[in-house]
Amino acid sequence: MNTENVLMEVLNDSGKVSYNTKEIETNAKLIEETIFNSVKSIKFKGYEIEPLYIKYFFTARSGAALKKALKLSEDVKLKLSARSLRSYIPPETDAVCFEVENKKILS
């Protein structure tokens, strides 16, 4: 992962949204550590930046491990101190996705 501290901005209807890549990578590591305690085969796959939230993707060796990772979404939410978190397995993928809202919405 790139640990360079970079600020990205995305324009949307309500103004600018800023993203700190170091914070994104720190969150990815926290999510991975939280899940790894129960699912040893979990690996960080990548992230997607959306205007209001960031999607973090993780892979595992089996579908059962992905389902087990889904059950840890409340633990992940607490670890990140997130107000909201959505977790799901995207169709036709071997990954679990955690959507975390962006904390730095600028108007």
Side-chain angles (χ1 to χ4, degrees):
M1 280 193 255
N2 182 5
T3 57
E4 185 179 330
N5 191 4
V6 178
L7 182 67
M8 295 180 281
E9 292 183 344
V10 177
L11 292 176
N12 68 8
D13 295 337
S14 63
K16 289 183 181 179
V17 180
S18 68
Y19 299 93
N20 181 315
T21 54
K22 186 166 181 145
E23 181 181 340
I24 291 170
E25 291 169 357
T26 299
N27 285 347
K29 190 171 187 169
L30 287 172
I31 295 169
E32 187 174 39
E33 288 171 356
T34 303
I35 298 170
F36 188 79
N37 290 333
S38 297
V39 183
K40 300 297 182 196
S41 66
I42 202 79
K43 299 273 189 248
F44 178 63
K45 185 175 181 179
Y47 61 86
E48 282 182 22
I49 298 174
E50 301 289 336
L52 299 177
Y53 53 88
I54 301 166
K55 295 179 180 181
Y56 296 90
F57 296 94
F58 295 85
T59 59
R61 283 192 216 136
S62 69
L66 292 176
K67 289 179 183 177
K68 192 171 184 180
L70 276 179
K71 292 180 182 179
L72 298 170
S73 61
E74 194 62 33
D75 294 343
V76 170
K77 181 179 173 183
L78 291 172
K79 185 78 164 188
L80 296 178
S81 301
R83 286 188 290 173
S84 68
L85 180 123
R86 179 176 173 233
S87 60
Y88 59 95
I89 298 174
E92 300 180 21
T93 65
D94 63 343
V96 62
C97 176
F98 293 92
E99 289 183 2
V100 181
E101 72 178 23
N102 182 25
K103 294 178 184 178
K104 297 183 180 189
I105 299 177
L106 306 174
S107 51

